[in-house]
Structures are given as structure tokens and as C-alpha cells.
Amino acid sequence: MKRTTVKKALSLKAGEELVNLKGWVRTKRGSKHVSFIALNDGSTINNIQVVAEDAISEEVLKIIHTGASLSVVGKLVQSQGSGQAIELLAESIEVLGIADPDEYPLQPKKHSLEFLRENAHLRFRTNTFSAIFRIRHAMTFAVHSFFNSKGFSNIHTPIITGSDCEGAGEMFAVSTLDKKNTPLTEEGDIDYTQDFFGKETNLTVSGQLEAEMAALALGKVYTFGPTFRAENSNTSRHLAEFWMIEPEVAFADLEEDMDLAEEMLQYLCTYALENCTDDLDFLDKRLFEEEKNKKKEERQELGLIEKIKFVAENDFERITYTEAYDILRNSKPNKKKKFQYLIEEWGTDFQSEHERYLVEKKFKKPVIITDYPKDIKAFYMRMNDDGKTVRAMDVLFPGIGEIIGGSQREERLDVLKSRMAEMDVLEHELSWYLDSRKFGSVPHSGFGLGFERLILFVTGMGNIRDVIPFPRTPNNADF
Ligand code: 4AD
Ligand code: MG
């Protein structure tokens, strides 16, 4: 018999036809003559209630516990109880896999997120995590759908690379050299000519530089791939391995870049609202319960769904770094020395406390900051006429801080070369990149959206480790 999913079954009417449902037991309760089994197969956050009466032997019922996997054949009937319209009256149950209640870590009670992180291989089986990962899928699909509808080509940029796009030097080495007997040059450095690629290579921090090459022929491209950063920041916003969406558009200036970023984020929010209703309802209630435990002044003003709607429907604020700097310097928390890092000198980077002040207190909506001081941004950003700032933009989100970083790119060969020299980026290592400015160079722009930060926003979760299946962070590469 062909399997019916729980999602499908819940949408059907009661009938005489036999159906076969398969899934995992969430809970089992009952009396001598009737057992009620909540069965979930991941197709929806909702369980179907399996009713097992005399047709099912006691031997079978005895070995059914939370976590066991079942194949149930029966009829869909009108539910007697409240809470569901339809339930499955079992005619036969096959236990596909048992789950010993003395050993199975997930019991039908509330587990802490920390506990579930330690059991990341099993946490998919909880309501919260199944909702998160269905939404993560929906967002992946929506990203491709958005760019496809706008005529972008998806480019797969390399994961192993010889260049450091962001120039921050926070890269993971890729090497097949014998660690115990590393070949050395006469100067005593590691001799990478003997390594697999004949040169030093790392895991990429960004696909941007390669995406630019494609954009300067295909016009509009985007990458959506894993990126890696060996930065030792143990925060709720950083992963060592995360996924990034990087569009790159030929002939576009920073204004068009910001328009694209805003349109994309609003599209993704709207997509979630329209296509992830059950999961969002569940997470909305979950967040509401969490907020109740917080002090009043720390509670978020909007619920999860309200917050997503708000972003989908309202224009983002756009200000320059210098305007943001003035606002922050004259702000109450700065004057009263409430910020951990006080805003004094023009030119320093903003910390997340500053970003959150602008977004959550000052403007109460997403903010795009542009034209940052050149010294705190990457070499490839286009220099402004003032010689001090570059055409950068960061999109800041409530509860998240920076969700997007992007810029108009420096298309002028001589300016790019002098920026590279200033920032110690070696010309001979990026000769291919410079070629694009020698041959048919055009103004172009792009940005990078941190996919997990988007998922944080859309799910209302507080820790980035909970929105990627198997997180990679300092001292943590289990599973
Ligand atoms: O601002 P970033 O470093 O920009 C770039 O990599 C550019 N090459 C993008 C481009 O213009 N094509 O990173 C972009 C975004 C950040 O705004 C943030 O959302 C996310 O990537 N991000 C991280 N997410 C999780 N963990 C980390 N360690 C992250 N570092 C950056
Ligand atoms: Mg950034």
C-alpha cells in the first residue's frame, strides 16, 4: 500500500478506504482497552492521533514508546476528542524500530535548547527543530525562486580557494602535507609547492570575487554556498561554517544594490508568512511563552509574526556612517556611558550594541548604513570622492544586528591597485581579479546575506547554533 503523509491525511475526510501512515511516536497514552498514539512523520508540525483498540494486540502496544517508528494501516475517522478533526483508527500496526524508554534521550516533556544541542542528531524530532528546518528549507527555495524570477544565474563558486576575499586572514587551511614531517623551504617556511595544489589553499570566506567574474559577463548572478571563518568569536551570531547568499550585478550602483537587498528580504519575509503558516504559528507561541519569563523591560514589543510582517511591509531606513556616528555619539546611552564601547572617534567600527540601538531604539525598523570609513572595510569597495569613505552598505535587523554586508565594487584599476597596496593585498595573487578591471570594466555591486542570520530572524530563535542542523563553532565539530 502506498504511504500517505500525515500532512495529506489531516487534509482528508473520514472514509472507508484503508490508508497507510508511517512515522515516529511522539506520545502514547491510554487505558486497558484503548491507546492514543501521537504520530509525526515530519511532513507537518501537526501529529495525527492513532487510536488502537482491540484490533491491536497487547504485545505490540507494549513495545510502542516515544521515539519508536511505526507503520499503521487503518481508516480515517471523525475524531471523538477535541483538538483534531480526523484520527486514524488502526487495523494493524507494525513496529519498524523500537526506542527503549530507558535510553532514548527525548522524553515527552520540555527539553532545554542546550540539552538538544548536545543531542543535535535527535533534535530534528522535536516540534521546535522540525519547524525550524522546514522553514530553513522554504527559505532556501524562496531565495532561488526570487533570483530566478529576476533573471539571475546561480553560480557555484569554489569552496577551496587561494585568495582571502575579506582580507581578515581568518581562514581554515586545506592541505595534504604530512603534519609530522612538513617540507620546508630554505628560509624555513612551509613549502607549499609540495602541497596538493602546489600552493597555499584555504576554505573560502566568501564567493564574491569569483561571482564578480561571472557577473561581468552574465550580468546578474548569485552564489548560495557554504563559507568558513576561523574567527574565535563565541557569540550567538557567529558560526565557523555558515551559508551565504551573494548576488552580484553588473552596471548596478549602491542605490540599486540597496534596493535589491531590501526587495529580497521583504520577498523572503512574505514568502515565509504565506508558506510556513503552521510552523510560524507554533514558533510565534513558543516565543511568546519565552518572553513571558523575561523582565517587562526586556520583552520584545512585537510577536514573531508581527515582526516579520512589519519588515515585509515597511521601508528600511537609509543613513550614512557619519549620520549614524552623530546619532550614536549624541545618544543617551553614550552620554550616560551605558554603552560598553563608547562612541568617540569618527572611524571606529560599530559594535552590536550600537547597531541594536539604531534599529531597536532610534528607528524601530531595519536600517541600512552606507559609506563607511575605508579603513574598516575590505579592499574591493568603491572609494568615494572624499578619499575617506567607501560605498559600503550594511543592513541591520532588529534582534540580529548585521544581516547583510555589501558594496559597490571598485571598478577603476588604478584606484583598486592602490587600495590593495594600502591593505597589503598582494597583486600577483589576484592578477585574475585585476584582469576584470583591465578588460571591459564596468561599475557593479553586490552583497552577502548570512543565511543563518535570516533564519534566526524568521524563526525568532536566539542562538545561531539552533538554526543550522549541525553547528560548527570553536571547540565544537561533533556529529
Ligand atoms: O559582511 P561579510 O563579511 O561580507 C562578505 O563576505 C562579502 N564578501 C559579501 C559580498 O559583498 N558579497 O559577510 C556577509 C554576511 C554578514 O552580514 C552576516 O550576515 C554573515 O554574512 N556572516 C556570518 N554569519 C554567521 N557566522 C559568521 N561568522 C558570519 N560572518 C558573516
Ligand atoms: Mg560585514
Side-chain angles (χ1 to χ4, degrees), residues 111-123 129 236 286 461-471 473 476 478-479:
H111 293 290
S112 73
L113 293 173
E114 291 77 15
F115 174 83
L116 292 172
R117 240 169 262 151
E118 287 161 15
N119 288 280
H121 58 307
L122 297 172
R123 66 179 178 171
F129 285 92
S236 57
R286 181 190 170 280
M461 299 301 288
N463 192 317
I464 201 161
R465 292 168 179 81
D466 295 332
V467 296
I468 187 164
F470 297 104
T473 51
N476 173 30
D478 290 337
F479 307 105

Side-chain angles (χ1 to χ4, degrees), residues 6-22:
V6 171
K7 184 177 181 178
K8 175 84 192 163
L10 290 173
S11 73
L12 297 174
K13 290 205 174 72
E16 283 305 304
E17 236 171 281
L18 286 179
V19 292
N20 176 207
L21 270 68
K22 297 180 184 180

